[in-house]
């Protein structure tokens, strides 16, 4: 008897697993056809529009029953019917004519009845379930009133048929010009569109073959591209470029601040010389500190040269050959680096 119960349990798990796999649409499989981008995506504009689309694609209905206790062999615990009639009542009425029967070990256990509607690839579109306890009446154990009236809801993810689709994602607008990105699962030639995304402002982006298009989530219409062109003027923060300068100075000699054009941060100078030249160098920081030294490095030469700066207000004279040089001043505290540990990325870190 124990061996028979074990076999029954194994068969039950196999049955439920096969039902779950069929309801999920058989898992992720690559697209089987190559198609064109759809003209529009009207079905994503609202939950009702998505429900209308899903209802139109129903071709199979199923029902099954079980208990949370021991389920014994016998009966007909799983039934299904097919129909492609545009009137959804045709297939639900066909399902209602099927007699579902199953045996349970404990009449006091919870009993479940489930119904579902599928598309032509057995991807689930609508599903509903009732749970209840049997009623012990004069005629024995029986279903309570209303137990067989199952109200099905739109699935949490609706498979939308897009032949040849390779990827899809939604840009959900935050209303301030920024977006959140939600990647949509692809299974075969379908995008598994989350019902919860209906009602958001944003765009659905689809890729089919070599083509990509965006669709407005409020209207479903294809979004025309907005061309943008620019000639980027790039510069380096904190860099001051000089050509053949006679003097490189930061601030006014002996005075803090140095006027309205004095940088608030310690700059890096790039000085270009077309011929040899002697240059005067001096710097006073906005906090009044006088630079203690100036560092000169010819571009391409890894070794810089350090020149001390006289603290009595005397310019330091440095001779330059033709070429390009980087120059920066060193102060007691002004312009000091502020080290910090970088944040962790992709689960990695320091150490």
């Amino acid at each position: 008897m124990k061996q028979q119960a074990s076999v029954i349990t194994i068969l039950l798990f196999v049955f439920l697993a096969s039902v779950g796999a069929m309801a999920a649409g058989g898992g992720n499989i690559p697209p089987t056809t190559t198609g064109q981008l759809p003209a529009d995506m009207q079905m994503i504009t609202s939950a009702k529009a998505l429900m209308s689309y899903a209802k139109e694609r129903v071709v199979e209905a199923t029902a099954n029953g079980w208990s949370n206790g021991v389920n014994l062999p016998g009966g007909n615990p799983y039934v299904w019917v097919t129909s492609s009639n545009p009137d959804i009542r045709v297939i639900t009425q066909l399902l209602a004519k099927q007699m579902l029967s199953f045996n349970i070990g404990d009449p006091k256990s919870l009993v479940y009845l489930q119904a579902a509607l599928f598309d032509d690839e057995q991807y689930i579109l609508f599903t509903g379930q009732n749970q209840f306890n049997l009623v012990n009446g004069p005629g024995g154990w029986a279903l309570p009133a209303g137990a067989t009236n199952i109200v099905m809801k739109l699935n949490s993810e609706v498979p939308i048929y897009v032949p040849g689709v390779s990827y899809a994602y939604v840009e959900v607008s935050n209303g301030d010009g920024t977006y959140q990105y939600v990647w949509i699962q692809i299974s075969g030639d379908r995008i598994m569109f989350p019902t919860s995304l209906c009602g958001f402002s944003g765009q659905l982006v689809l890729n089919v073959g070599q083509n990509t298009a965006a669709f407005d989530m409020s209207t479903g219409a294809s979004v025309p591209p907005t061309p943008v062109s620019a000639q980027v003027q790039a510069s380096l923060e904190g860099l001051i470029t000089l050509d053949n300068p006679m003097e490189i100075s930061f601030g006014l000699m002996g005075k803090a601040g140095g006027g309205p054009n004095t940088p608030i941060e310690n700059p890096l100078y790039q000085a270009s010389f077309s011929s040899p030249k002697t240059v005067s160098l001096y710097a006073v920081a906005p906090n009044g500190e006088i630079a203690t030294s100036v560092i000169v490095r010819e571009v391409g030469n890894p070794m810089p040269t350090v020149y001390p700066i006289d603290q009595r207000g005397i310019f330091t004279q440095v001779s330059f050959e033709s070429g390009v040089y980087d120059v920066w001043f060193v102060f007691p505290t002004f312009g000091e680096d502020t080290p910090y540990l970088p944040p962790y990325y992709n689960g990695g870190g320091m150490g």
Side-chain angles (χ1 to χ4, degrees):
M1 188 66 182
K2 290 183 178 178
Q3 184 178 5
Q4 183 182 13
S6 299
V7 172
I8 293 171
T9 302
I10 293 172
L11 290 175
L12 175 63
F13 277 115
V14 171
F15 169 74
L16 294 177
S18 64
V19 171
M22 181 173 59
N28 292 330
I29 56 178
T32 57
T33 60
T34 300
Q36 296 179 341
L37 285 164
D40 61 68
M41 293 293 288
Q42 294 290 333
M43 72 288 292
I44 69 172
T45 57
S46 69
K48 288 296 183 290
L50 192 60
M51 181 178 178
S52 176
Y53 169 83
K55 184 172 70 69
E56 183 179 331
R57 297 194 62 82
V58 171
V59 295
E60 182 173 317
T62 65
N64 62 300
W66 71 96
S67 82
N68 68 344
V70 175
N71 292 269
L72 299 174
N76 193 26
Y78 184 77
V79 296
W80 63 92
V81 295
T82 60
S83 172
S84 56
N85 195 296
D87 187 343
I88 196 68
R89 294 174 297 179
V90 172
I91 196 168
T92 56
Q93 289 169 1
L94 286 174
L95 185 65
K97 294 177 182 179
Q98 302 298 309
M99 182 56 68
L100 190 66
S101 62
F102 52 98
N103 299 314
I104 63 176
D106 182 2
K108 295 182 179 180
S109 63
L110 275 176
V111 177
Y112 298 86
L113 291 178
Q114 184 180 45
L117 304 180
F118 301 87
D119 68 5
D120 58 351
E121 289 290 334
Q122 293 188 324
Y123 287 83
I124 193 166
L125 299 171
F126 297 88
T127 184
Q129 176 181 286
N130 287 348
Q131 68 175 44
F132 50 87
N133 290 106
L134 298 177
V135 177
N136 192 7
W141 295 97
L143 299 178
T148 59
N149 296 326
I150 299 176
V151 178
M152 294 178 293
K153 294 183 178 180
L154 189 64
N155 195 32
S156 59
E157 293 182 343
V158 174
I160 298 177
Y161 182 61
V162 182
V165 65
S166 56
Y167 69 78
Y169 64 90
V170 167
E171 293 181 345
V172 178
S173 174
N174 294 323
D176 58 359
T178 62
Y179 294 84
Q180 298 181 54
Y181 294 86
V182 181
W183 284 95
I184 307 300
Q185 180 184 356
I186 301 297
S187 187
D189 288 314
R190 289 159 174 78
I191 66 169
M192 309 305 290
F193 191 81
T195 305
S196 61
L197 288 180
C198 293
F200 276 109
S201 296
Q203 296 180 356
L204 168 66
V205 179
L206 299 178
N207 179 266
V208 176
Q210 301 298 317
N211 301 312
T212 302
F215 299 86
D216 190 293
M217 293 182 63
S218 298
T219 66
S222 179
V223 177
T226 301
V228 178
S229 59
Q231 293 177 297
V232 176
Q233 306 298 314
S235 61
L236 299 183
E237 181 181 13
L239 178 68
I240 298 175
T241 58
L242 304 171
D243 294 320
N244 297 306
M246 296 296 297
E247 176 184 299
I248 301 177
S249 61
F250 178 28
L252 294 178
M253 184 176 61
K255 296 183 179 180
N261 296 324
T262 300
I264 61 173
E265 295 182 359
N266 192 9
L268 173 68
Y269 296 91
Q270 176 186 286
S272 300
F273 297 95
S274 57
S275 60
K277 184 171 293 186
T278 299
V279 178
S280 301
L281 299 102
Y282 193 81
V284 180
N287 64 1
E289 292 181 344
I290 299 174
T292 57
S293 61
V294 61
I295 299 177
V296 177
R297 187 184 75 85
E298 184 177 10
V299 174
N301 186 345
M303 295 301 296
T305 303
V306 180
Y307 298 92
I309 292 180
D310 195 302
Q311 299 296 294
R312 297 172 298 174
I314 300 175
F315 277 82
T316 298
Q317 303 297 314
V318 176
S319 295
F320 291 87
E321 298 295 328
S322 300
V324 179
Y325 297 81
D326 287 339
V327 179
W328 64 96
F329 294 98
V330 177
F331 298 87
T333 63
F334 177 73
E336 284 186 327
D337 295 330
T338 304
Y340 72 97
L341 293 177
Y344 294 155
Y345 293 103
N346 299 323
M350 300 181 66

